[in-house]
Amino acid sequence: MSGVALSPLPVGVPVLLATAVGTTLCCASANTFNQITEVPFDAQMARTRNRPLVRKAISPLHAACFGVVTGVAGPAILLAYAGPVTAALGLGNIILYAGLYTALKRRSVVNTWVGGIVGAIPPLMGWSACGSSLLPSTTTPMSIYLPPFLNSTDLATYISTQLPALSHGLATTTPLIDNPLCPLALFLFHYAWQFPHFNPLSHLVRSSYAQAGYAMLTVIDPKKNALVSLRHSILLLFLSSFLIPLSGLTDWTFAITSLVPNAVLMGWSWKFYRNGTEKVARTLFGHSLLYLPVMLGLMMYHKRGMDWTTWFDRQDDKEKE
């Protein structure tokens, strides 16, 4: 729901609930079809052999019916309450996860990158559910927000004169109602996070992946698996310190306050690359679980145009009354 929370457009409770329910149903459908396909392989791995289909707690027919019902109901709810773009993203994500990602898991290490796209699409669904645009157009141009100390410099002048398409939101203190650079930044952030999250986890269960015949990078090249995690941790620092505030999703103070969680994640990613022990992998995985809610919380606190002090003052006034 980060897309809904960070969107500059207001959203009603019905749309919020429908987006949450519809997205959940889409995820349930995609996961169901994935598990139907992988029953023989899940049976070979300790962490998945207790799944309902493997234990024959439910039949493949019942699972398929559940997958179809949720796969139809999810996009239908999204179409009715959140719009066609959100519904198309939900349906597309079912196909991408249950189809391409599942098929690639035993064929190519590219499956992890495809899975990263799948995991980064839900924030776009939340963003579009609020009525915000995902792509630039003549009515919703892509704009940038320079740091305050650069607003009166030659760089700002150059952008205003040479790059008019980007100058529409230049040097403003309030966000554009609709800036397509924001969902792009949000998508890239969630995409990059999944590698320092998943790669150490896959390292911990690499023997199971190897036994089941999955083409995972941690099985083929553990060192490169750790390097990919480190690279994306560095990318997260770039996104947090530059692209996210530049898009206007947050103010530029976020670039400073986000340095601590980014430094922690990068530090453990570096240790994972240098040592590659299970203890380090487990610690990095644990930090990745904390990293995402901490960073999203900071984004909310530094959301451009959001004055939390005024909000708390209003709450105090209500209590006094």
Side-chain angles (χ1 to χ4, degrees), residues 43-77:
Q44 302 177 48
M45 298 193 295
R47 75 182 187 91
T48 56
R49 63 177 54 141
N50 286 322
R51 287 178 173 175
L53 282 167
V54 178
R55 292 186 290 108
K56 298 183 179 180
I58 58 175
S59 69
L61 177 59
H62 288 153
C65 290
F66 177 79
V68 170
V69 170
T70 53
V72 172
I77 291 173

Side-chain angles (χ1 to χ4, degrees), residues 200-277:
L201 174 62
S202 67
H203 180 82
L204 295 172
V205 295
R206 63 191 182 281
S207 59
S208 295
Y209 280 135
Q211 183 179 358
Y214 286 116
M216 294 296 177
L217 186 58
T218 187
V219 175
I220 299 170
D221 191 340
K223 192 70 172 179
K224 186 171 289 186
N225 178 66
L227 179 59
V228 169
S229 178
L230 176 61
R231 286 173 177 171
H232 285 82
S233 295
I234 297 173
L235 176 58
L236 284 169
L237 176 64
F238 167 78
L239 294 173
S240 304
S241 302
F242 182 70
L243 184 59
I244 289 175
L246 187 72
S247 70
L249 194 61
T250 68
D251 58 37
W252 278 93
T253 312
F254 174 76
I256 300 173
T257 58
S258 64
L259 287 175
V260 173
N262 275 305
V264 173
L265 192 72
M266 283 179 56
W268 282 103
S269 294
W270 171 251
K271 292 179 181 179
F272 180 45
Y273 173 67
R274 287 295 302 271
N275 301 324
T277 63

Side-chain angles (χ1 to χ4, degrees), residues 63-284:
C65 290
F66 177 79
V68 170
V69 170
T70 53
V72 172
I77 291 173
L78 293 173
L79 179 62
Y81 290 92
V85 174
T86 310
L89 287 172
L91 180 60
N93 226 17
I94 294 174
I95 297 171
L96 191 61
Y97 185 84
L100 184 59
Y101 169 72
T102 300
L104 284 173
K105 284 178 71 175
R106 295 178 59 81
R107 292 177 173 84
S108 171
V109 296
V110 175
N111 73 80
T112 304
W113 279 260
V114 175
I117 296 174
V118 171
I121 286 178
L124 298 184
M125 295 170 64
W127 187 270
S128 63
C130 296
S132 302
S133 299
L134 299 178
L135 298 174
S137 65
T138 53
T139 56
T140 56
M142 191 171 288
S143 305
I144 61 174
Y145 294 80
L146 294 177
F149 65 88
L150 289 179
N151 285 338
S152 59
T153 63
D154 293 338
L155 176 60
T157 304
Y158 174 81
I159 293 175
S160 299
T161 55
Q162 302 298 324
L163 301 173
L166 292 178
S167 64
H168 184 65
L170 184 63
T172 59
T173 56
T174 57
L176 288 176
I177 290 299
D178 217 353
N179 183 13
L181 189 57
C182 291
L184 175 61
L186 197 59
F187 173 85
L188 291 175
F189 174 81
H190 282 82
Y191 174 80
W193 167 79
Q194 291 174 80
F195 292 89
H197 170 69
F198 174 75
N199 286 28
L201 174 62
S202 67
H203 180 82
L204 295 172
V205 295
R206 63 191 182 281
S207 59
S208 295
Y209 280 135
Q211 183 179 358
Y214 286 116
M216 294 296 177
L217 186 58
T218 187
V219 175
I220 299 170
D221 191 340
K223 192 70 172 179
K224 186 171 289 186
N225 178 66
L227 179 59
V228 169
S229 178
L230 176 61
R231 286 173 177 171
H232 285 82
S233 295
I234 297 173
L235 176 58
L236 284 169
L237 176 64
F238 167 78
L239 294 173
S240 304
S241 302
F242 182 70
L243 184 59
I244 289 175
L246 187 72
S247 70
L249 194 61
T250 68
D251 58 37
W252 278 93
T253 312
F254 174 76
I256 300 173
T257 58
S258 64
L259 287 175
V260 173
N262 275 305
V264 173
L265 192 72
M266 283 179 56
W268 282 103
S269 294
W270 171 251
K271 292 179 181 179
F272 180 45
Y273 173 67
R274 287 295 302 271
N275 301 324
T277 63
E278 291 194 0
K279 181 179 179 181
V280 173
R282 190 172 288 106
T283 303
L284 174 58

